[in-house]
Each structure stands twice: as structure tokens, then as C-alpha cells.
Amino acid sequence: MGIGIAGLSLGGNALANAPRATPIAMPQVEVNPSTTKAVTVNDGPGFGRRVALTFDDGPDPKNTPRILKALRERNVTATFFMIGRNVTNQPQLAAQVLAEGHELANHSYTHPKLSSKSNSRVLSELERCQEAINTATGVTPVWFRPPYGAWATKRQGPLAVKECLGVAMWSVDTMDWKYRNPRSVTNRALKGARPGSIILMHDIHRSTADAVPAVLDGLLDRGYEMTTMSGFLGHPYV
């Protein structure tokens, strides 16, 4: 698996004035599900001070634009794990996320608990989300996050490989889905962050959108460089 090398750690002011990051063009590769083991990650390389910011469940017409604004103002990129039906309903917003330098990733089409579903249903959820994102934006995701983190790795891993998707979990859960309080979200993100962390938030909650500026500023002040999953880890199967 390709691993991105952490760049020079800069202070908050330096990063805020850095040139705008450009999206990483991921190669489309073919893999053999019968011989290739699914790549599943909970975190990234622990050297440097690089973390991956991730947002689940969007795109959301009210809160995603607010989060994009906060990221744009600080020249920070993130990965948005999108629900396919939301992309179908908000194709222009999905395209905007991509145009602003962020990575689009697969979060299933309807957000079911996949570990309890049949292989055919799981594959349908993956494929329909891939198609929705590709139709809206012209890109095909290389990372997937199972809703609720519910994933039967041994049985369902080959299905992710079939779609050439790495399975991305997380190491810092801000619990923004449970505690709709900006201060709680900020504190959990900043206290949990370590070099190599994958930080989980959701771009469907107003409280999360309220918290994001403080989360970003706090991470920048601590010298962290924030990036996408692919900027962090490269392509899962290269």
C-alpha cells in the first residue's frame, strides 16, 4: 500500500497562508478479489504531524457548505464519505466538494448496517454509491467507510476489493452524532488527535459545522497538517 510522506510541519499561521492543496489524482487499478486481501485501516503513519479529516453522511445542503467555507479559509483538505442517495439529490454540491480540492469517498447508497446484509445487498450498496458519485463528479472513489463501522471483514472484504475500495475506519470519534454540542466535538477532536489519526465527524449536523472552525484552528495551532485519506495513505491497492 502506498504511504504518503508527511511534509514539513508548520505552525498555524504558516499553514493558513500556504498554497491551496490540489486534489491527488488516484490511478484506477484492477485487483483480483480471490487473491487480494482487503485493505482496512484505522489510522495512518505515525511519523510527522499529519492527520486525516473525514466527514460522513453528506452532502448536506445546509451544513456541508459551511464546513467547506471553514476548510477553504484555512487551505485545508478533507475526505467526505458520501451517501449515494444524497449525492443523487445534491449532485452540484458533491461536485463543489471535489472542485474545492477535497476527496470524495463511498459511504454506501442508503446507509444500512451492512454487516447484517447479504453479499448481494452489500455489493449493490457499494456499486450504486460508486455510480452516483461518478455520475455527479466524474471521479470514482477508492476509499469506503461502512455505516456505523459495521463490517464483516472476512465475508465482506472481497466485495470491497471487487470495487477496488480500501476500507477506512477511524481512530478519533468526535461523537458528534451523539453529543450535538460544538464544544464537545472540538474537545474530543483535539484531545484525541495524534500523528496518524483519522478523525471522524459528520457534515450533516449544525453543531458539527459550528465546531469545525475551532477544530481546524486547534489542530493548526498544534502544528498538525490535515489532509485527505489518499493524501495520507495513497491508493489502497498500489
Side-chain angles (χ1 to χ4, degrees):
M1 179 174 67
I3 300 294
I5 303 299
L8 179 66
S9 294
L10 302 173
N13 290 335
L15 278 172
N17 295 321
R20 180 66 181 164
T22 56
I24 294 176
M26 284 290 102
Q28 295 303 312
V29 303
E30 294 185 3
V31 295
N32 186 338
S34 64
T35 59
T36 303
K37 184 178 180 181
V39 170
T40 302
V41 298
N42 295 90
D43 51 24
F47 51 83
R49 292 188 68 77
R50 179 172 284 193
V51 298
L53 288 181
T54 66
F55 295 93
D56 286 10
D57 291 358
D60 177 85
K62 292 183 178 179
N63 296 300
T64 303
R66 294 181 59 207
I67 291 170
L68 289 176
K69 180 176 183 291
L71 294 167
R72 183 169 61 248
E73 290 174 346
R74 294 159 179 81
N75 298 315
V76 170
T77 55
T79 298
F80 288 77
F81 287 86
M82 295 186 172
I83 296 174
R85 65 184 175 190
N86 290 345
V87 174
T88 299
N89 292 332
Q90 298 287 333
Q92 292 181 329
L93 183 53
Q96 180 185 348
V97 174
L98 177 69
E100 295 199 15
H102 307 292
E103 181 171 27
L104 278 56
N106 188 315
H107 198 43
S108 81
Y109 192 80
T110 64
H111 204 271
K113 188 175 181 180
L114 293 174
S115 59
S116 63
K117 305 300 180 185
S118 67
N119 284 0
S120 60
R121 170 67 185 280
V122 172
L123 191 58
S124 174
E125 288 283 338
L126 296 180
E127 290 178 342
R128 292 178 70 194
C129 187
Q130 293 289 80
E131 291 169 2
I133 291 174
N134 183 265
T135 298
T137 69
V139 302
T140 301
V142 299
W143 290 101
F144 158 70
R145 175 172 288 155
Y148 315 105
W151 186 245
T153 301
K154 185 175 181 179
R155 175 171 62 89
Q156 297 173 331
L159 305 178
V161 174
K162 185 176 186 298
E163 293 301 310
C164 207
L165 288 164
V167 181
M169 297 299 190
W170 58 88
S171 53
V172 178
D173 187 351
T174 61
M175 303 289 284
D176 61 340
W177 53 272
K178 183 175 183 179
Y179 302 109
R180 307 291 177 83
N181 180 288
R183 179 173 292 182
S184 172
V185 174
T186 301
N187 287 342
R188 288 176 182 274
L190 298 183
K191 289 181 179 179
R194 301 288 186 275
S197 291
I198 297 174
I199 300 173
L200 170 64
M201 292 180 277
H202 296 76
D203 58 319
I204 59 171
H205 303 309
R206 183 177 65 181
S207 50
T208 300
D210 290 341
V212 164
V215 171
L216 299 180
D217 289 342
L219 290 171
L220 289 169
D221 287 343
R222 289 161 174 77
Y224 284 103
E225 178 186 356
M226 289 163 274
T227 186
T228 63
M229 287 296 301
S230 292
F232 202 34
L233 294 167
H235 192 293
Y237 297 106
V238 173

